[in-house]
Every structure is written in C-alpha cells, then in structure tokens.
Amino acid sequence: MSVPTIGSAQSPEVAGVVSSNTAGVIHLAGLPDVKSNTKGDLSLTPDALMFSNTDVRALIATNRITAVFTGDERAEKGGTTGQIARKVIPYGGGAALGAFSQKSVDLLTVEYRDEHEGYHGAIFELPTKQAAELQKKILAETAPLAAVQPQTCSVAGVKPDTILVEPIDIHGMEIPAEYRVLFYEHLLTELRRTQTSQTYFRAGDIAAGPGCTAFTLQVAVVNFQKGNQALRASTGPLGMFLGTTKIAFEVKLVDRHGETVIDTNLKKSNRRDSDSLNVVHAIAKSISKHLDKEMKKGQLSRSTV
C-alpha cells in the first residue's frame, strides 16, 4: 500500500473518521504517487484530509491546507465507452445520445503546502451537490499557515539548470480554480517528464528561495472561455463550433537578474467530444514542447550569475 503523506498528521485510524465526513470521489490530480482518475473515498478528520481505497492512502494535513474551492463540470456517464458509443451511432442518434450520456458532477479543489513549503493543488470529482458541504467542513478544520521567509541565496549558491515554476497568474480574470490548479499540476508533471536536464521547483519551496534558482517560469492566462462538453456532444458537427473551451496564455522565462529570456503567447481550445478540463493538459504539453525548442536553440545556455 502506498502511503504518501503531505505535512504531519495523526493517523486517521487514531483520530477516528466520521462517516458523515466521507465521500466517494475520483482523484483527478495533485496527490503525489496517486494516479489520475483513481476512485476512492475522501475522509476528513480534525488532523487530515485522507484519500484512500484498497491500494492507496494519501494524507493532506489540515494544518497545511491554504484554500478550498468548489466547481462543477459535465462528465461522461460511461467514460470512454460512452464517447465511443456515440461515435458509432449515425449522426442524429449519436448526438441525441450525447445529451443523455452526460451527468453533472462537483469538483473540489484543495490548495496546500508540503513539508518543504512547496505549493500543491489536489482536484477531486464528487457527485453533484456534495462539494460545498465538504468544503465547509474542511475549512472549519484549517488555520492560516505561518509565513516562512527563505534565505536569499548568494551567487555561489545558485544552481544552473534549475527553474522555479510560479503559480498560474490569471490577471484578475474569472477562471475556475480547478482549471488554474490542474494547469499547474499538469505543467509540472509534463516539464519533469520531458525536460530531464532541468530541475523544476514548486513555488514556495524553501530549497528554491529568492534567487536560488537560475530561472523562473511565469505563466499567465490572458483569455479564458469555459466550454460545455454536453453541448459539444449533443450537436454533432456543430460541436466543433459550439461549447468550445478556449484558453490563451503568456509564457515567460526570467533569469535571476530579472531579464526575460523567453516571452511567447500560446493558445489552445477543446472542440472535441471530451472533458473540458482536458484542455489544460494540452496546454502543459504545448509549453513543455515550446521550452524544449527554445532550449535546443541555446536560449538557456548563457550564464545566469
């Protein structure tokens, strides 16, 4: 059994899990060592928020939680099977089936800090009308985290090939927390998977204090339009134009002196008959691919000290 633990928390077996504080959920992203789309129970005790099933148990100490948000999405009742079923039915029947093969679900987004003060966000899918009550219960058990002031590095302490990834900046726009947090988690995963020559740090990590990394990656959302998967699924070919999820964003890589090394604008849209949240994974891949291209051109080869 894998037991990733974030922060310090008393074991739920000791603290006691209250049944009314337990919900069946799907983990979408954000818990270390827990795969996406893993089903389990989310249980709340005075000491921890625990996700568990027969194979895994992951804890987020309540004294490490910084914010909790709720949201909603459209989900496929039959998962991939439901999408395939609609594709093989002639247009008209498949489109009509799309309207009935989807369900509304709640989303719960939990932002927290690990033991090194690194920023994380976990996203869970819940049955509809359950997230708000659980949000209240979690917030009742949390308290403001004490501020940590990491020491500024000397020039000699700066390590080459290190990049700090800042939280996604939304420029004061209205964007659901689940998109912002899922974007960040997917981005870090994709960068670490593909850019193995670089070491990426989470925002707030005390090991990556002010000036300790050679570069800082800044991603800002400049335009966002939340689409509607049900509309895309139920309108056949028109779904390519209706209910589209769109995101435009600016990517900057800044060196330790504050000089911009990379500055580019990218955009992505989801016109397919799939979960609207999938667009953030596509964005993460685009950014990783773009950085890889710039690195191969030698953009990061110059000295940063």
mmCIF file of all heavy atoms in Angstrom, residues 217-270:
data_model
loop_
_atom_site.group_PDB
_atom_site.id
_atom_site.type_symbol
_atom_site.label_atom_id
_atom_site.label_comp_id
_atom_site.label_asym_id
_atom_site.label_seq_id
_atom_site.Cartn_x
_atom_site.Cartn_y
_atom_site.Cartn_z
ATOM 1 N N LEU A 217 9.817 30.380 -14.174
ATOM 2 C CA LEU A 217 8.821 30.233 -15.242
ATOM 3 C C LEU A 217 7.511 30.864 -14.781
ATOM 4 O O LEU A 217 6.975 30.520 -13.722
ATOM 5 C CB LEU A 217 8.606 28.757 -15.564
ATOM 6 C CG LEU A 217 7.578 28.452 -16.662
ATOM 7 C CD1 LEU A 217 8.021 29.031 -18.006
ATOM 8 C CD2 LEU A 217 7.351 26.941 -16.785
ATOM 9 N N GLN A 218 7.013 31.798 -15.575
ATOM 10 C CA GLN A 218 5.770 32.510 -15.263
ATOM 11 C C GLN A 218 4.759 32.267 -16.377
ATOM 12 O O GLN A 218 5.050 32.509 -17.548
ATOM 13 C CB GLN A 218 6.038 34.010 -15.130
ATOM 14 C CG GLN A 218 7.089 34.368 -14.095
ATOM 15 C CD GLN A 218 7.531 35.815 -14.173
ATOM 16 O OE1 GLN A 218 7.340 36.490 -15.186
ATOM 17 N NE2 GLN A 218 8.133 36.306 -13.107
ATOM 18 N N VAL A 219 3.582 31.771 -16.001
ATOM 19 C CA VAL A 219 2.515 31.533 -16.977
ATOM 20 C C VAL A 219 1.288 32.326 -16.540
ATOM 21 O O VAL A 219 0.813 32.186 -15.412
ATOM 22 C CB VAL A 219 2.161 30.038 -17.079
ATOM 23 C CG1 VAL A 219 1.035 29.829 -18.087
ATOM 24 C CG2 VAL A 219 3.385 29.222 -17.468
ATOM 25 N N ALA A 220 0.791 33.157 -17.434
ATOM 26 C CA ALA A 220 -0.375 33.990 -17.131
ATOM 27 C C ALA A 220 -1.486 33.720 -18.138
ATOM 28 O O ALA A 220 -1.249 33.737 -19.353
ATOM 29 C CB ALA A 220 0.006 35.467 -17.163
ATOM 30 N N VAL A 221 -2.685 33.453 -17.641
ATOM 31 C CA VAL A 221 -3.847 33.280 -18.511
ATOM 32 C C VAL A 221 -4.348 34.666 -18.902
ATOM 33 O O VAL A 221 -4.633 35.502 -18.041
ATOM 34 C CB VAL A 221 -4.966 32.490 -17.805
ATOM 35 C CG1 VAL A 221 -6.197 32.384 -18.701
ATOM 36 C CG2 VAL A 221 -4.478 31.093 -17.439
ATOM 37 N N VAL A 222 -4.451 34.934 -20.197
ATOM 38 C CA VAL A 222 -4.888 36.246 -20.666
ATOM 39 C C VAL A 222 -6.291 36.207 -21.261
ATOM 40 O O VAL A 222 -6.912 37.249 -21.475
ATOM 41 C CB VAL A 222 -3.891 36.821 -21.696
ATOM 42 C CG1 VAL A 222 -2.546 37.058 -21.040
ATOM 43 C CG2 VAL A 222 -3.735 35.890 -22.896
ATOM 44 N N ASN A 223 -6.796 35.012 -21.533
ATOM 45 C CA ASN A 223 -8.168 34.891 -22.028
ATOM 46 C C ASN A 223 -8.669 33.490 -21.704
ATOM 47 O O ASN A 223 -7.932 32.515 -21.804
ATOM 48 C CB ASN A 223 -8.232 35.128 -23.536
ATOM 49 C CG ASN A 223 -9.666 35.199 -24.038
ATOM 50 O OD1 ASN A 223 -10.559 35.667 -23.346
ATOM 51 N ND2 ASN A 223 -9.903 34.717 -25.250
ATOM 52 N N PHE A 224 -9.939 33.405 -21.265
ATOM 53 C CA PHE A 224 -10.499 32.102 -20.902
ATOM 54 C C PHE A 224 -11.987 32.073 -21.223
ATOM 55 O O PHE A 224 -12.724 33.013 -20.932
ATOM 56 C CB PHE A 224 -10.309 31.833 -19.408
ATOM 57 C CG PHE A 224 -11.001 30.576 -18.935
ATOM 58 C CD1 PHE A 224 -10.470 29.329 -19.189
ATOM 59 C CD2 PHE A 224 -12.205 30.649 -18.244
ATOM 60 C CE1 PHE A 224 -11.101 28.170 -18.764
ATOM 61 C CE2 PHE A 224 -12.850 29.508 -17.809
ATOM 62 C CZ PHE A 224 -12.304 28.263 -18.077
ATOM 63 N N GLN A 225 -12.398 30.975 -21.840
ATOM 64 C CA GLN A 225 -13.810 30.729 -22.113
ATOM 65 C C GLN A 225 -14.116 29.283 -21.756
ATOM 66 O O GLN A 225 -13.588 28.362 -22.384
ATOM 67 C CB GLN A 225 -14.139 30.977 -23.586
ATOM 68 C CG GLN A 225 -15.573 30.612 -23.975
ATOM 69 C CD GLN A 225 -15.835 30.814 -25.452
ATOM 70 O OE1 GLN A 225 -15.675 31.917 -25.979
ATOM 71 N NE2 GLN A 225 -16.221 29.742 -26.144
ATOM 72 N N LYS A 226 -14.913 29.097 -20.733
ATOM 73 C CA LYS A 226 -15.268 27.746 -20.323
ATOM 74 C C LYS A 226 -16.313 27.193 -21.278
ATOM 75 O O LYS A 226 -17.365 27.786 -21.489
ATOM 76 C CB LYS A 226 -15.804 27.730 -18.891
ATOM 77 C CG LYS A 226 -16.154 26.324 -18.401
ATOM 78 C CD LYS A 226 -16.638 26.347 -16.964
ATOM 79 C CE LYS A 226 -17.009 24.937 -16.499
ATOM 80 N NZ LYS A 226 -17.478 24.913 -15.088
ATOM 81 N N GLY A 227 -16.026 26.048 -21.855
ATOM 82 C CA GLY A 227 -16.943 25.435 -22.800
ATOM 83 C C GLY A 227 -17.975 24.546 -22.129
ATOM 84 O O GLY A 227 -18.118 24.533 -20.907
ATOM 85 N N ASN A 228 -18.676 23.784 -22.948
ATOM 86 C CA ASN A 228 -19.735 22.900 -22.464
ATOM 87 C C ASN A 228 -19.631 21.581 -23.214
ATOM 88 O O ASN A 228 -19.959 21.498 -24.397
ATOM 89 C CB ASN A 228 -21.110 23.551 -22.692
ATOM 90 C CG ASN A 228 -22.238 22.747 -22.076
ATOM 91 O OD1 ASN A 228 -22.293 21.528 -22.199
ATOM 92 N ND2 ASN A 228 -23.148 23.453 -21.415
ATOM 93 N N GLN A 229 -19.145 20.550 -22.518
ATOM 94 C CA GLN A 229 -18.957 19.256 -23.152
ATOM 95 C C GLN A 229 -20.275 18.668 -23.625
ATOM 96 O O GLN A 229 -20.360 18.042 -24.681
ATOM 97 C CB GLN A 229 -18.282 18.284 -22.184
ATOM 98 C CG GLN A 229 -18.005 16.910 -22.799
ATOM 99 C CD GLN A 229 -17.570 15.893 -21.768
ATOM 100 O OE1 GLN A 229 -17.567 16.177 -20.576
ATOM 101 N NE2 GLN A 229 -17.213 14.707 -22.221
ATOM 102 N N ALA A 230 -21.331 18.860 -22.831
ATOM 103 C CA ALA A 230 -22.644 18.320 -23.206
ATOM 104 C C ALA A 230 -23.123 18.941 -24.516
ATOM 105 O O ALA A 230 -23.688 18.253 -25.371
ATOM 106 C CB ALA A 230 -23.654 18.587 -22.090
ATOM 107 N N LEU A 231 -22.881 20.251 -24.679
ATOM 108 C CA LEU A 231 -23.285 20.924 -25.910
ATOM 109 C C LEU A 231 -22.488 20.397 -27.093
ATOM 110 O O LEU A 231 -23.034 20.153 -28.162
ATOM 111 C CB LEU A 231 -23.093 22.434 -25.760
ATOM 112 C CG LEU A 231 -23.548 23.301 -26.936
ATOM 113 C CD1 LEU A 231 -25.036 23.108 -27.192
ATOM 114 C CD2 LEU A 231 -23.238 24.771 -26.657
ATOM 115 N N ARG A 232 -21.173 20.200 -26.903
ATOM 116 C CA ARG A 232 -20.345 19.669 -27.989
ATOM 117 C C ARG A 232 -20.794 18.264 -28.377
ATOM 118 O O ARG A 232 -20.811 17.899 -29.549
ATOM 119 C CB ARG A 232 -18.868 19.642 -27.565
ATOM 120 C CG ARG A 232 -18.252 21.011 -27.369
ATOM 121 C CD ARG A 232 -16.732 20.929 -27.329
ATOM 122 N NE ARG A 232 -16.233 20.128 -26.223
ATOM 123 C CZ ARG A 232 -15.989 20.592 -25.007
ATOM 124 N NH1 ARG A 232 -16.226 21.869 -24.737
ATOM 125 N NH2 ARG A 232 -15.505 19.803 -24.066
ATOM 126 N N ALA A 233 -21.163 17.473 -27.364
ATOM 127 C CA ALA A 233 -21.534 16.086 -27.612
ATOM 128 C C ALA A 233 -22.897 15.951 -28.280
ATOM 129 O O ALA A 233 -23.142 15.004 -29.021
ATOM 130 C CB ALA A 233 -21.535 15.307 -26.297
ATOM 131 N N SER A 234 -23.785 16.884 -28.021
ATOM 132 C CA SER A 234 -25.174 16.727 -28.474
ATOM 133 C C SER A 234 -25.492 17.474 -29.762
ATOM 134 O O SER A 234 -26.615 17.409 -30.251
ATOM 135 C CB SER A 234 -26.124 17.212 -27.373
ATOM 136 O OG SER A 234 -25.913 18.584 -27.097
ATOM 137 N N THR A 235 -24.506 18.169 -30.331
ATOM 138 C CA THR A 235 -24.784 18.953 -31.532
ATOM 139 C C THR A 235 -24.029 18.447 -32.766
ATOM 140 O O THR A 235 -23.951 19.156 -33.772
ATOM 141 C CB THR A 235 -24.438 20.440 -31.301
ATOM 142 O OG1 THR A 235 -23.099 20.543 -30.810
ATOM 143 C CG2 THR A 235 -25.404 21.069 -30.324
ATOM 144 N N GLY A 236 -23.484 17.232 -32.674
ATOM 145 C CA GLY A 236 -22.836 16.638 -33.845
ATOM 146 C C GLY A 236 -21.721 17.512 -34.379
ATOM 147 O O GLY A 236 -20.928 18.064 -33.616
ATOM 148 N N PRO A 237 -21.630 17.694 -35.719
ATOM 149 C CA PRO A 237 -20.565 18.505 -36.313
ATOM 150 C C PRO A 237 -20.562 19.948 -35.804
ATOM 151 O O PRO A 237 -19.511 20.587 -35.758
ATOM 152 C CB PRO A 237 -20.889 18.457 -37.813
ATOM 153 C CG PRO A 237 -21.625 17.173 -37.984
ATOM 154 C CD PRO A 237 -22.454 17.028 -36.741
ATOM 155 N N LEU A 238 -21.718 20.459 -35.396
ATOM 156 C CA LEU A 238 -21.766 21.828 -34.878
ATOM 157 C C LEU A 238 -20.986 21.964 -33.572
ATOM 158 O O LEU A 238 -20.617 23.061 -33.165
ATOM 159 C CB LEU A 238 -23.223 22.259 -34.657
ATOM 160 C CG LEU A 238 -24.045 22.544 -35.922
ATOM 161 C CD1 LEU A 238 -25.485 22.861 -35.543
ATOM 162 C CD2 LEU A 238 -23.433 23.696 -36.711
ATOM 163 N N GLY A 239 -20.751 20.809 -32.907
ATOM 164 C CA GLY A 239 -19.986 20.834 -31.664
ATOM 165 C C GLY A 239 -18.570 21.338 -31.843
ATOM 166 O O GLY A 239 -17.903 21.705 -30.873
ATOM 167 N N MET A 240 -18.093 21.359 -33.093
ATOM 168 C CA MET A 240 -16.775 21.912 -33.377
ATOM 169 C C MET A 240 -16.758 23.427 -33.192
ATOM 170 O O MET A 240 -15.694 24.035 -33.080
ATOM 171 C CB MET A 240 -16.364 21.583 -34.819
ATOM 172 C CG MET A 240 -16.131 20.101 -35.081
ATOM 173 S SD MET A 240 -14.634 19.497 -34.285
ATOM 174 C CE MET A 240 -13.380 20.340 -35.245
ATOM 175 N N PHE A 241 -17.939 24.034 -33.163
ATOM 176 C CA PHE A 241 -18.032 25.489 -33.060
ATOM 177 C C PHE A 241 -18.795 25.943 -31.814
ATOM 178 O O PHE A 241 -18.629 27.066 -31.364
ATOM 179 C CB PHE A 241 -18.721 26.051 -34.308
ATOM 180 C CG PHE A 241 -18.098 25.585 -35.590
ATOM 181 C CD1 PHE A 241 -18.629 24.511 -36.302
ATOM 182 C CD2 PHE A 241 -16.964 26.212 -36.086
ATOM 183 C CE1 PHE A 241 -18.047 24.075 -37.486
ATOM 184 C CE2 PHE A 241 -16.373 25.775 -37.267
ATOM 185 C CZ PHE A 241 -16.907 24.706 -37.967
ATOM 186 N N LEU A 242 -19.649 25.063 -31.277
ATOM 187 C CA LEU A 242 -20.444 25.415 -30.110
ATOM 188 C C LEU A 242 -19.853 24.780 -28.859
ATOM 189 O O LEU A 242 -19.359 23.664 -28.885
ATOM 190 C CB LEU A 242 -21.889 24.938 -30.294
ATOM 191 C CG LEU A 242 -22.629 25.455 -31.532
ATOM 192 C CD1 LEU A 242 -24.005 24.813 -31.623
ATOM 193 C CD2 LEU A 242 -22.748 26.981 -31.496
ATOM 194 N N GLY A 243 -19.909 25.491 -27.746
ATOM 195 C CA GLY A 243 -19.456 24.939 -26.475
ATOM 196 C C GLY A 243 -17.965 24.727 -26.385
ATOM 197 O O GLY A 243 -17.490 23.899 -25.604
ATOM 198 N N THR A 244 -17.188 25.456 -27.178
ATOM 199 C CA THR A 244 -15.738 25.281 -27.204
ATOM 200 C C THR A 244 -15.073 25.879 -25.966
ATOM 201 O O THR A 244 -15.406 26.986 -25.550
ATOM 202 C CB THR A 244 -15.140 25.955 -28.454
ATOM 203 O OG1 THR A 244 -15.748 25.403 -29.617
ATOM 204 C CG2 THR A 244 -13.637 25.745 -28.522
ATOM 205 N N THR A 245 -14.140 25.133 -25.370
ATOM 206 C CA THR A 245 -13.315 25.648 -24.278
ATOM 207 C C THR A 245 -12.067 26.278 -24.877
ATOM 208 O O THR A 245 -11.359 25.636 -25.663
ATOM 209 C CB THR A 245 -12.914 24.524 -23.312
ATOM 210 O OG1 THR A 245 -14.091 23.938 -22.761
ATOM 211 C CG2 THR A 245 -12.052 25.062 -22.178
ATOM 212 N N LYS A 246 -11.791 27.527 -24.518
ATOM 213 C CA LYS A 246 -10.648 28.242 -25.088
ATOM 214 C C LYS A 246 -9.810 28.885 -23.978
ATOM 215 O O LYS A 246 -10.358 29.447 -23.031
ATOM 216 C CB LYS A 246 -11.123 29.342 -26.044
ATOM 217 C CG LYS A 246 -11.937 28.841 -27.233
ATOM 218 C CD LYS A 246 -12.393 30.015 -28.087
ATOM 219 C CE LYS A 246 -13.240 29.554 -29.267
ATOM 220 N NZ LYS A 246 -13.712 30.698 -30.088
ATOM 221 N N ILE A 247 -8.499 28.801 -24.116
ATOM 222 C CA ILE A 247 -7.582 29.455 -23.182
ATOM 223 C C ILE A 247 -6.416 30.043 -23.967
ATOM 224 O O ILE A 247 -5.825 29.369 -24.818
ATOM 225 C CB ILE A 247 -7.033 28.484 -22.120
ATOM 226 C CG1 ILE A 247 -8.154 27.840 -21.315
ATOM 227 C CG2 ILE A 247 -6.090 29.222 -21.164
ATOM 228 C CD1 ILE A 247 -7.675 26.914 -20.218
ATOM 229 N N ALA A 248 -6.099 31.294 -23.684
ATOM 230 C CA ALA A 248 -4.910 31.939 -24.241
ATOM 231 C C ALA A 248 -4.017 32.340 -23.076
ATOM 232 O O ALA A 248 -4.508 32.772 -22.028
ATOM 233 C CB ALA A 248 -5.294 33.169 -25.065
ATOM 234 N N PHE A 249 -2.716 32.200 -23.251
ATOM 235 C CA PHE A 249 -1.834 32.451 -22.122
ATOM 236 C C PHE A 249 -0.477 32.954 -22.598
ATOM 237 O O PHE A 249 -0.081 32.765 -23.749
ATOM 238 C CB PHE A 249 -1.659 31.181 -21.290
ATOM 239 C CG PHE A 249 -1.356 29.957 -22.107
ATOM 240 C CD1 PHE A 249 -0.059 29.510 -22.254
ATOM 241 C CD2 PHE A 249 -2.369 29.258 -22.740
ATOM 242 C CE1 PHE A 249 0.232 28.382 -23.001
ATOM 243 C CE2 PHE A 249 -2.090 28.127 -23.508
ATOM 244 C CZ PHE A 249 -0.787 27.692 -23.642
ATOM 245 N N GLU A 250 0.212 33.625 -21.681
ATOM 246 C CA GLU A 250 1.541 34.160 -21.946
ATOM 247 C C GLU A 250 2.550 33.378 -21.111
ATOM 248 O O GLU A 250 2.317 33.118 -19.928
ATOM 249 C CB GLU A 250 1.615 35.646 -21.586
ATOM 250 C CG GLU A 250 2.978 36.282 -21.854
ATOM 251 C CD GLU A 250 3.019 37.739 -21.434
ATOM 252 O OE1 GLU A 250 2.443 38.068 -20.375
ATOM 253 O OE2 GLU A 250 3.641 38.541 -22.151
ATOM 254 N N VAL A 251 3.655 33.003 -21.737
ATOM 255 C CA VAL A 251 4.698 32.239 -21.062
ATOM 256 C C VAL A 251 5.982 33.060 -21.040
ATOM 257 O O VAL A 251 6.455 33.520 -22.074
ATOM 258 C CB VAL A 251 4.959 30.900 -21.788
ATOM 259 C CG1 VAL A 251 6.041 30.104 -21.060
ATOM 260 C CG2 VAL A 251 3.679 30.088 -21.894
ATOM 261 N N LYS A 252 6.526 33.254 -19.828
ATOM 262 C CA LYS A 252 7.784 33.984 -19.685
ATOM 263 C C LYS A 252 8.775 33.158 -18.876
ATOM 264 O O LYS A 252 8.403 32.540 -17.871
ATOM 265 C CB LYS A 252 7.568 35.323 -18.973
ATOM 266 C CG LYS A 252 6.960 36.413 -19.829
ATOM 267 C CD LYS A 252 6.973 37.736 -19.082
ATOM 268 C CE LYS A 252 6.415 38.867 -19.947
ATOM 269 N NZ LYS A 252 6.477 40.172 -19.242
ATOM 270 N N LEU A 253 10.011 33.171 -19.313
ATOM 271 C CA LEU A 253 11.100 32.583 -18.544
ATOM 272 C C LEU A 253 12.048 33.719 -18.210
ATOM 273 O O LEU A 253 12.579 34.385 -19.108
ATOM 274 C CB LEU A 253 11.819 31.494 -19.343
ATOM 275 C CG LEU A 253 12.760 30.613 -18.527
ATOM 276 C CD1 LEU A 253 11.975 29.753 -17.538
ATOM 277 C CD2 LEU A 253 13.598 29.712 -19.437
ATOM 278 N N VAL A 254 12.237 33.947 -16.920
ATOM 279 C CA VAL A 254 13.027 35.085 -16.442
ATOM 280 C C VAL A 254 14.250 34.567 -15.702
ATOM 281 O O VAL A 254 14.150 33.628 -14.895
ATOM 282 C CB VAL A 254 12.171 35.972 -15.509
ATOM 283 C CG1 VAL A 254 12.968 37.173 -15.023
ATOM 284 C CG2 VAL A 254 10.909 36.423 -16.231
ATOM 285 N N ASP A 255 15.420 35.168 -15.952
ATOM 286 C CA ASP A 255 16.621 34.720 -15.239
ATOM 287 C C ASP A 255 16.682 35.389 -13.864
ATOM 288 O O ASP A 255 15.831 36.208 -13.502
ATOM 289 C CB ASP A 255 17.887 34.965 -16.062
ATOM 290 C CG ASP A 255 18.219 36.441 -16.262
ATOM 291 O OD1 ASP A 255 17.708 37.293 -15.507
ATOM 292 O OD2 ASP A 255 18.996 36.759 -17.189
ATOM 293 N N ARG A 256 17.685 35.037 -13.081
ATOM 294 C CA ARG A 256 17.763 35.503 -11.693
ATOM 295 C C ARG A 256 18.007 37.002 -11.586
ATOM 296 O O ARG A 256 17.854 37.593 -10.509
ATOM 297 C CB ARG A 256 18.846 34.744 -10.929
ATOM 298 C CG ARG A 256 20.261 34.970 -11.435
ATOM 299 C CD ARG A 256 21.259 34.147 -10.607
ATOM 300 N NE ARG A 256 21.161 34.473 -9.193
ATOM 301 C CZ ARG A 256 21.879 35.438 -8.606
ATOM 302 N NH1 ARG A 256 22.700 36.185 -9.333
ATOM 303 N NH2 ARG A 256 21.765 35.658 -7.321
ATOM 304 N N HIS A 257 18.382 37.643 -12.704
ATOM 305 C CA HIS A 257 18.588 39.077 -12.709
ATOM 306 C C HIS A 257 17.323 39.832 -13.113
ATOM 307 O O HIS A 257 17.320 41.061 -13.169
ATOM 308 C CB HIS A 257 19.719 39.442 -13.680
ATOM 309 C CG HIS A 257 21.017 38.772 -13.362
ATOM 310 N ND1 HIS A 257 21.741 39.037 -12.228
ATOM 311 C CD2 HIS A 257 21.714 37.814 -14.041
ATOM 312 C CE1 HIS A 257 22.841 38.298 -12.215
ATOM 313 N NE2 HIS A 257 22.836 37.541 -13.300
ATOM 314 N N GLY A 258 16.263 39.084 -13.408
ATOM 315 C CA GLY A 258 15.015 39.706 -13.813
ATOM 316 C C GLY A 258 14.906 39.949 -15.300
ATOM 317 O O GLY A 258 13.936 40.557 -15.769
ATOM 318 N N GLU A 259 15.870 39.474 -16.064
ATOM 319 C CA GLU A 259 15.841 39.648 -17.512
ATOM 320 C C GLU A 259 15.030 38.526 -18.158
ATOM 321 O O GLU A 259 15.190 37.352 -17.824
ATOM 322 C CB GLU A 259 17.264 39.674 -18.080
ATOM 323 C CG GLU A 259 18.105 40.847 -17.597
ATOM 324 C CD GLU A 259 19.476 40.866 -18.239
ATOM 325 O OE1 GLU A 259 19.682 40.073 -19.183
ATOM 326 O OE2 GLU A 259 20.329 41.658 -17.801
ATOM 327 N N THR A 260 14.172 38.897 -19.108
ATOM 328 C CA THR A 260 13.321 37.923 -19.785
ATOM 329 C C THR A 260 14.114 37.185 -20.865
ATOM 330 O O THR A 260 14.688 37.800 -21.760
ATOM 331 C CB THR A 260 12.104 38.609 -20.426
ATOM 332 O OG1 THR A 260 11.338 39.246 -19.394
ATOM 333 C CG2 THR A 260 11.221 37.579 -21.132
ATOM 334 N N VAL A 261 14.132 35.862 -20.756
ATOM 335 C CA VAL A 261 14.854 35.025 -21.713
ATOM 336 C C VAL A 261 13.904 34.508 -22.783
ATOM 337 O O VAL A 261 14.257 34.433 -23.959
ATOM 338 C CB VAL A 261 15.528 33.833 -20.988
ATOM 339 C CG1 VAL A 261 16.273 32.945 -21.976
ATOM 340 C CG2 VAL A 261 16.460 34.333 -19.900
ATOM 341 N N ILE A 262 12.698 34.134 -22.381
ATOM 342 C CA ILE A 262 11.682 33.652 -23.312
ATOM 343 C C ILE A 262 10.378 34.387 -23.013
ATOM 344 O O ILE A 262 9.976 34.532 -21.858
ATOM 345 C CB ILE A 262 11.456 32.135 -23.165
ATOM 346 C CG1 ILE A 262 12.726 31.361 -23.546
ATOM 347 C CG2 ILE A 262 10.283 31.669 -24.028
ATOM 348 C CD1 ILE A 262 12.627 29.864 -23.308
ATOM 349 N N ASP A 263 9.720 34.854 -24.029
ATOM 350 C CA ASP A 263 8.423 35.537 -23.878
ATOM 351 C C ASP A 263 7.581 35.181 -25.099
ATOM 352 O O ASP A 263 7.904 35.578 -26.217
ATOM 353 C CB ASP A 263 8.613 37.045 -23.783
ATOM 354 C CG ASP A 263 7.308 37.778 -23.452
ATOM 355 O OD1 ASP A 263 6.252 37.115 -23.390
ATOM 356 O OD2 ASP A 263 7.359 38.999 -23.245
ATOM 357 N N THR A 264 6.532 34.419 -24.877
ATOM 358 C CA THR A 264 5.715 33.977 -26.005
ATOM 359 C C THR A 264 4.255 33.868 -25.598
ATOM 360 O O THR A 264 3.939 33.739 -24.414
ATOM 361 C CB THR A 264 6.211 32.616 -26.541
ATOM 362 O OG1 THR A 264 5.515 32.291 -27.739
ATOM 363 C CG2 THR A 264 5.981 31.517 -25.521
ATOM 364 N N ASN A 265 3.381 33.936 -26.586
ATOM 365 C CA ASN A 265 1.947 33.787 -26.354
ATOM 366 C C ASN A 265 1.454 32.533 -27.080
ATOM 367 O O ASN A 265 1.778 32.311 -28.247
ATOM 368 C CB ASN A 265 1.177 35.013 -26.863
ATOM 369 C CG ASN A 265 1.404 36.229 -25.993
ATOM 370 O OD1 ASN A 265 0.797 36.375 -24.940
ATOM 371 N ND2 ASN A 265 2.298 37.103 -26.428
ATOM 372 N N LEU A 266 0.676 31.728 -26.380
ATOM 373 C CA LEU A 266 0.134 30.500 -26.929
ATOM 374 C C LEU A 266 -1.354 30.431 -26.631
ATOM 375 O O LEU A 266 -1.857 31.142 -25.757
ATOM 376 C CB LEU A 266 0.841 29.282 -26.320
ATOM 377 C CG LEU A 266 2.365 29.190 -26.503
ATOM 378 C CD1 LEU A 266 2.927 28.061 -25.646
ATOM 379 C CD2 LEU A 266 2.714 28.977 -27.962
ATOM 380 N N LYS A 267 -2.063 29.575 -27.335
ATOM 381 C CA LYS A 267 -3.484 29.394 -27.069
ATOM 382 C C LYS A 267 -3.894 27.975 -27.432
ATOM 383 O O LYS A 267 -3.282 27.325 -28.278
ATOM 384 C CB LYS A 267 -4.328 30.405 -27.832
ATOM 385 C CG LYS A 267 -4.202 30.347 -29.348
ATOM 386 C CD LYS A 267 -5.047 31.440 -29.998
ATOM 387 C CE LYS A 267 -4.896 31.415 -31.514
ATOM 388 N NZ LYS A 267 -5.715 32.469 -32.167
ATOM 389 N N LYS A 268 -4.941 27.504 -26.760
ATOM 390 C CA LYS A 268 -5.454 26.167 -27.004
ATOM 391 C C LYS A 268 -6.972 26.200 -26.892
ATOM 392 O O LYS A 268 -7.562 27.022 -26.180
ATOM 393 C CB LYS A 268 -4.901 25.175 -25.980
ATOM 394 C CG LYS A 268 -3.504 24.669 -26.299
ATOM 395 C CD LYS A 268 -3.515 23.722 -27.485
ATOM 396 C CE LYS A 268 -2.123 23.227 -27.821
ATOM 397 N NZ LYS A 268 -2.134 22.321 -28.997
ATOM 398 N N SER A 269 -7.618 25.279 -27.598
ATOM 399 C CA SER A 269 -9.065 25.146 -27.495
ATOM 400 C C SER A 269 -9.425 23.670 -27.511
ATOM 401 O O SER A 269 -8.669 22.841 -28.023
ATOM 402 C CB SER A 269 -9.774 25.871 -28.642
ATOM 403 O OG SER A 269 -9.399 25.308 -29.890
ATOM 404 N N ASN A 270 -10.553 23.335 -26.921
ATOM 405 C CA ASN A 270 -11.053 21.963 -26.916
ATOM 406 C C ASN A 270 -12.380 21.942 -27.657
ATOM 407 O O ASN A 270 -13.402 22.387 -27.138
ATOM 408 C CB ASN A 270 -11.228 21.441 -25.489
ATOM 409 C CG ASN A 270 -11.661 19.983 -25.470
ATOM 410 O OD1 ASN A 270 -11.697 19.319 -26.504
ATOM 411 N ND2 ASN A 270 -11.986 19.483 -24.291
#
